[in-house]
């Protein structure tokens, strides 16, 4: 299989093309090297169902469990989840099933996250142990602080725990072997710099919203310079009209220019958007519970964008954020700038 990459777009990121492979799918998933050691696959199944304009999507039945099974059978080597999603147990059941069929634990990369109500240093290890119990695993490959914002257990009152203390708890968890790598999610550049300046272990990864409308080039450049892998949640942004807010900027999936690129490569517009983010240097986290879409979302390595196509997709960056979480904007560690 040909896996073309324009390496000048990566500015130092290393692809390990001896990546994990599922013979059944005959698919090689490239990886990026983590500063803490090991490699992270550049495509993960996202397991958070997200929001629609009318509110949060509610998990029903065993959709996530079946989605993870579909993903593993399609050749995914990375599953991204979180305690707060409330579905770690479903991910765990799917993993247990596939392990019983011969899948090796070391061939799968698992990411999960620490929720805001467990930010005290002494809470971090027990919180991870609970996630491991849910997942039926002895360790995860990557553990992230979900937000820099601390909250009390009822999730309604904001707490003032210093996220450096939370980070020390993450280091404790790594030393215990409960996670191979540690990182952060939804932190801004100033907050990351504060961790670096503290002299504590540097985060291996940062998970942020990243899509055509929100490309965050300055934060991306900062992470690249500090050897921090960027992971892209909500990679489709507002492409789908059913999920776009009324004020969301274009494009949508019926944009003629994007449709033309997709048709050229016999791909879908969402596949083109994912390919663009990978060529930026990100790990993408597309989410779906539909078998066909899950399979499509990893078929990204048999084409590459021309410089003209790449620049067109780059031009859609407006800084529009689909998940600003303004309800937390009064917290001193709120990470985003409000318009």
């Amino acid at each position: 299989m040909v896996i073309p990459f324009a390496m000048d777009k990566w500015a130092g990121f290393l692809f390990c093309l001896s990546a994990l492979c599922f013979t059944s799918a005959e698919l090689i998933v490239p990886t990026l090297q983590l500063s803490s050691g090991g490699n992270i696959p550049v495509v993960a199944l996202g397991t958070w169902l997200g929001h629609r304009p009318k509110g949060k999507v509610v998990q029903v039945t065993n959709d996530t469990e079946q989605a993870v099974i579909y993903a593993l059978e399609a050749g995914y080597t990375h599953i991204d989840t979180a305690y707060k999603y409330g579905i770690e147990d479903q991910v765990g059941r799917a993993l247990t099933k596939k392990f019983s069929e011969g899948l090796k634990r070391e061939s799968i990369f698992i990411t999960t996250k620490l929720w805001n109500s467990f930010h005290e240093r002494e809470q971090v290890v027990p919180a991870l142990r609970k996630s491991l119990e849910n997942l039926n695993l002895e360790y995860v490959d990557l553990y992230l602080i979900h937000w820099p914002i601390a909250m009390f257990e009822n999730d309604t009152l904001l707490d003032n725990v210093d996220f450096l203390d939370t980070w020390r708890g993450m280091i404790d968890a790594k030393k215990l072997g409960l996670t191979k790598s540690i990182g952060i999610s939804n932190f801004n550049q100033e907050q990351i710099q504060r961790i670096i300046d503290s002299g504590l272990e540097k985060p291996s990864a940062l998970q942020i919203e990243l899509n055509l409308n929100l490309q965050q080039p300055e934060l991306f450049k900062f992470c690249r310079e500090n050897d921090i892998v960027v992971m892209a949640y909500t990679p489709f942004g507002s492409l789908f009209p059913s999920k776009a807010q009324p004020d969301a900027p274009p494009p949508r999936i019926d944009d003629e220019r994007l449709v033309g690129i997709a048709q050229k490569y016999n791909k879908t517009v969402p596949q083109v958007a994912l390919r663009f983010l990978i060529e930026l240097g990100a790990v993408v986290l597309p989410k779906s519970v539909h078998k066909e879409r899950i399979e499509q979302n990893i078929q990204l390595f048999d084409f590459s964008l021309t410089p003209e196509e790449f620049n067109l997709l780059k031009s859609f960056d407006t800084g529009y954020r689909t998940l600003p979480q303004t309800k937390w904007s009064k917290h001193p560690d709120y990470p985003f700038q409000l318009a």
Side-chain angles (χ1 to χ4, degrees):
M1 175 183 289
V2 177
I3 308 178
F5 291 100
M7 293 304 292
D8 58 326
K9 294 173 183 173
W10 290 87
F13 274 103
L14 174 64
F15 256 126
C16 302
L17 293 181
S18 58
L20 309 175
C21 178
F22 281 83
T23 304
S24 62
E26 296 183 354
L27 177 68
I28 297 175
V29 181
T31 64
L32 292 175
Q33 194 170 51
L34 293 169
S35 62
S36 56
N39 303 309
I40 181 170
V42 300
V43 182
L45 176 72
T47 59
W48 179 61
L49 295 186
H51 286 79
R52 295 180 185 272
K54 292 184 179 180
K56 183 178 179 180
V57 177
V58 178
Q59 177 69 49
V60 295
T61 66
N62 66 336
D63 282 357
T64 297
E65 180 180 350
Q66 187 59 59
V68 172
I69 291 172
Y70 289 150
L72 295 174
E73 291 176 348
Y76 284 69
T77 53
H78 184 181
I79 307 296
D80 178 88
T81 189
Y83 175 83
K84 184 60 177 177
Y85 301 166
I87 45 77
E88 286 178 322
D89 59 332
Q90 291 200 40
V91 174
R93 289 196 297 272
L95 291 171
T96 298
K97 180 179 187 297
K98 301 310 290 184
F99 291 155
S100 71
E101 296 173 358
L103 182 65
K104 303 297 183 183
R105 169 63 184 95
E106 59 270 19
S107 69
I108 301 298
F109 193 102
I110 304 296
T111 299
T112 195
K113 307 176 192 75
L114 175 80
W115 184 240
N116 303 354
S117 55
F118 307 117
H119 271 217
E120 295 282 359
R121 179 175 181 175
E122 61 271 17
Q123 292 178 303
V124 176
V125 167
L128 178 49
R129 289 192 190 279
K130 178 59 179 175
S131 285
L132 291 172
E133 178 184 337
N134 293 338
L135 292 164
N136 198 23
L137 296 175
E138 295 182 356
Y139 68 91
V140 291
D141 298 274
L142 179 62
Y143 196 42
L144 306 176
I145 300 177
H146 207 148
W147 290 86
I149 297 165
M151 304 174 71
F152 291 106
E153 286 191 28
N154 60 11
D155 279 1
T156 59
L157 297 175
L158 302 178
D159 201 357
N160 61 354
V161 179
D162 188 337
F163 61 73
L164 285 185
D165 289 334
T166 313
W167 188 245
R168 292 183 178 95
M170 300 288 282
I171 295 171
D172 294 340
K174 184 185 174 191
K175 287 179 178 177
L176 289 171
L178 303 178
T179 181
K180 290 189 173 182
S181 298
I182 52 177
I184 50 183
S185 179
N186 297 301
F187 279 55
N188 61 34
Q189 180 173 328
E190 181 180 347
Q191 291 167 332
I192 302 169
Q193 187 65 59
R194 184 165 176 249
I195 294 176
I196 294 172
D197 291 345
S198 72
L200 298 170
E201 179 175 342
K202 185 171 60 177
S204 293
L206 168 68
Q207 189 172 130
I208 53 175
E209 181 182 346
L210 202 70
N211 48 59
L212 294 184
N213 293 146
L214 186 66
Q215 298 176 28
Q216 308 205 60
E218 292 183 5
L219 182 55
F220 214 123
K221 179 175 182 289
F222 173 81
C223 288
R224 184 177 294 121
E225 291 171 347
N226 286 279
D227 200 15
I228 298 170
V229 169
V230 174
M231 305 170 69
Y233 73 74
T234 316
F236 299 132
S238 301
L239 276 177
F240 298 104
S242 64
K243 295 184 178 180
Q245 297 290 340
D247 64 339
R252 301 290 181 267
I253 57 171
D254 59 354
D255 184 286
E256 291 183 1
R257 294 163 295 178
L258 297 184
V259 170
I261 295 172
Q263 290 177 341
K264 172 183 173 182
Y265 298 113
N266 195 26
K267 297 293 180 181
T268 66
V269 169
Q271 285 173 307
V272 170
L274 292 174
R275 177 69 199 194
F276 170 72
L277 295 176
I278 288 174
E279 291 191 16
L280 275 181
V283 173
V284 295
L285 314 174
K287 55 180 179 281
S288 180
V289 296
H290 303 287
K291 186 175 187 291
E292 182 180 4
R293 292 176 188 170
I294 289 170
E295 292 170 347
Q296 288 177 347
N297 288 342
I298 201 169
Q299 298 293 334
L300 308 173
F301 307 111
D302 55 354
F303 76 106
S304 59
L305 302 172
T306 67
E308 293 76 18
E309 292 163 348
F310 184 87
N311 287 332
L312 170 64
L313 271 68
K314 196 172 182 179
S315 72
F316 290 119
D317 185 18
T318 62
Y320 177 84
R321 190 180 298 277
T322 67
L323 298 167
Q325 296 288 14
T326 53
K327 61 188 177 184
W328 298 334
S329 62
K330 300 299 184 182
H331 194 282
D333 289 323
Y334 180 73
F336 308 140
Q337 288 186 342
L338 297 177

